[in-house]
Amino acid sequence: EQAGTWVLRKELNGKLRWRLLPLHAAVMFRCPLKLVELLLADFPLGAQSKDDQGMLPLHLAFRNESSWETIEELMTAFPQAIFVCDRKGRTPLDCGSRVHVSGNASQKSQASSQYPQNQGFKSVCSVLDLYAQITESDVRKSAQEESRSMVEATIAQLQDTQYDKVKNLKKEFKDSQDESQARIEKLEEENQKLSDSIQSQELDLSVARTTEKQLTDKLREMTIALKQSNETIKAKQNDRKMDDTSIVLKNMMEKLLIQQKQYERQFENLMTNYETLLEERRKIQSIFIEASEQQIVHEKEVLNDAQKFLEDQQKKLNQDILGILGDEKKTD
């Protein structure tokens, strides 16, 4: 903040006598280059500020024959200063005819080799050459920053596109997986219902078999009893009571035969239903197994396609980035 503070003096009548920044004073009194650098670092706009005479620090540097390093530092901070005029219409070049070189021996030797020692060196050519170098450096930096920004924007766009494609692919795969899972759960539910139905039919069939066995045993017993009764009737044809018993046994025998036939028909129906259910169960199991195998094959194909797609996109992205970086290097 102190480097940007104006120091001024006024007349008794309030008229401004002079004003300047610490940078103007440092240039006027030919202070060390390190001080000029610190003042510019603290207040860069100082190189663009005019004093009460409309002079920039660069005007004062030429007028007070500052070192070439000081002039170079001021022009680097504000290259356009070389064309700025003061209140009298003078440019910095008009304020001085020569510039002194200070610094190490190599810099002095370079200056001496470019310009004859007995004539010094021409400030106009030197300043213009410095201005061209600074301008070229600024243009190169601007082009590099613009190219870098374009590369970064292109890479970000490619990454966003790649991310969207991967996201959509993951969503499609998740939807397909959910749909397959729903189908599997539905098939499992149907298979469970069929298993319960088969178990119920097996239970009914077991009851029917038990009933049939009981009826068969009872029929066998009745047949034996009837045979014995017939033998007894033949032996005692004159006994009417035996005739009545034979008739009763015969009627019971006929009823048992009728019941046996009914149970046989029920048993045949149960067997038919049982075989039908078994056939349906085999079909559903076959469909379930086939659907599961198809789902597994489909998921493998989707995963392979997704992996191949991601690899292709990654290769393409790398090629695009390398191409863009190559173009940037060519531009540099």
Side-chain angles (χ1 to χ4, degrees):
E1 295 180 357
Q2 294 180 354
T5 303
W6 286 96
V7 181
L8 54 86
R9 181 177 180 181
K10 294 184 179 180
E11 301 289 352
L12 295 177
N13 58 5
K15 183 179 179 181
L16 180 65
R17 185 172 182 180
W18 52 265
R19 74 163 190 171
L20 48 79
L21 290 172
L23 180 62
H24 293 86
V27 174
M28 288 173 59
F29 293 105
R30 302 178 67 178
C31 292
L33 176 63
K34 184 64 176 179
L35 178 60
V36 176
E37 292 176 347
L38 292 174
L39 291 173
L40 284 173
D42 189 52
F43 187 60
L45 294 178
Q48 307 178 26
S49 302
K50 295 182 178 181
D51 62 4
D52 58 291
Q53 300 297 322
M55 289 187 175
L56 297 173
L58 189 62
H59 287 83
L60 300 176
F62 275 94
R63 189 178 69 176
N64 293 279
E65 297 183 352
S66 298
S67 66
W68 175 253
E69 289 78 8
T70 300
I71 293 176
E72 184 178 5
E73 191 70 26
L74 293 172
M75 287 194 64
T76 302
F78 185 46
Q80 293 81 2
I82 194 66
F83 301 113
V84 176
C85 297
D86 61 4
R87 288 185 178 180
K88 296 181 180 181
R90 296 175 299 179
T91 64
L93 293 175
D94 297 331
C95 294
S97 59
R98 58 186 296 144
V99 181
H100 296 282
V101 177
S102 63
N104 54 35
S106 61
Q107 291 175 334
K108 293 180 179 180
S109 176
Q110 183 178 3
S112 300
S113 61
Q114 289 180 343
Y115 304 99
Q117 186 174 2
N118 56 356
Q119 297 179 357
F121 62 87
K122 297 181 180 179
S123 60
V124 175
C125 295
S126 301
V127 171
L128 290 178
D129 182 56
L130 177 60
Y131 177 77
Q133 293 177 6
I134 295 173
T135 303
E136 182 181 358
S137 176
D138 292 340
V139 171
R140 185 183 298 107
K141 289 181 180 178
S142 176
Q144 289 177 349
E145 292 178 356
E146 183 179 358
S147 177
R148 187 177 295 105
S149 299
M150 291 177 62
V151 171
E152 292 176 352
T154 304
I155 293 174
Q157 184 178 4
L158 290 173
Q159 290 177 343
D160 292 340
T161 303
Q162 183 75 4
Y163 175 76
D164 293 338
K165 289 181 179 179
V166 173
K167 185 178 179 181
N168 294 332
L169 188 61
K170 287 183 178 179
K171 185 177 181 300
E172 292 177 359
F173 176 72
K174 184 66 169 55
D175 294 341
S176 176
Q177 193 175 18
D178 293 341
E179 183 179 356
S180 300
Q181 185 64 28
R183 288 178 57 192
I184 292 174
E185 291 177 356
K186 185 177 180 181
L187 288 173
E188 289 179 348
E189 183 180 357
E190 292 178 355
N191 188 37
Q192 184 63 36
K193 290 181 179 179
L194 183 59
S195 299
D196 295 340
S197 177
I198 290 174
Q199 290 178 0
S200 177
Q201 291 293 330
E202 288 177 348
L203 181 60
D204 294 340
L205 183 60
S206 176
V207 173
R209 287 175 177 173
T210 303
T211 304
E212 182 187 11
K213 186 176 183 301
Q214 292 175 354
L215 288 174
T216 302
D217 295 340
K218 191 176 292 186
L219 182 61
R220 187 180 298 109
E221 292 175 358
M222 293 300 296
T223 303
I224 295 172
L226 182 60
K227 185 177 180 181
Q228 292 175 354
S229 177
N230 288 333
E231 291 177 353
T232 304
I233 290 172
K234 289 180 181 180
K236 299 177 180 180
Q237 294 180 355
N238 295 326
D239 191 352
R240 294 181 63 182
K241 291 182 177 181
M242 292 299 294
D243 292 338
D244 294 338
T245 302
S246 179
I247 292 171
V248 173
L249 291 174
K250 185 177 182 180
N251 292 334
M252 291 178 64
M253 186 68 179
E254 290 176 353
K255 290 180 180 180
L256 289 173
L257 289 173
I258 292 171
Q259 288 182 0
Q260 184 183 14
K261 290 181 180 180
Q262 290 177 353
Y263 281 119
E264 286 178 353
R265 284 195 297 269
Q266 291 180 1
F267 180 74
E268 291 177 356
N269 292 332
L270 288 173
M271 287 299 296
T272 303
N273 293 333
Y274 178 70
E275 291 177 356
T276 304
L277 289 173
L278 286 177
E279 184 64 25
E280 291 180 357
R281 183 181 183 182
R282 283 194 292 269
K283 289 182 180 179
I284 291 178
Q285 287 179 344
S286 177
I287 294 172
F288 177 75
I289 293 172
E290 184 179 357
S292 299
E293 292 177 352
Q294 291 178 354
Q295 176 63 21
I296 292 172
V297 173
H298 177 68
E299 290 179 357
K300 288 183 179 179
E301 291 178 352
V302 171
L303 287 174
N304 291 332
D305 293 341
Q307 185 176 3
K308 184 177 179 182
F309 176 78
L310 292 176
E311 290 176 355
D312 294 341
Q313 291 297 321
Q314 187 65 35
K315 290 180 180 178
K316 183 178 179 182
L317 178 63
N318 293 335
Q319 292 176 356
D320 293 340
I321 292 174
L322 291 176
I324 293 171
L325 293 176
D327 295 339
E328 181 183 5
K329 290 181 179 180
K330 291 180 180 179
T331 303
D332 294 343

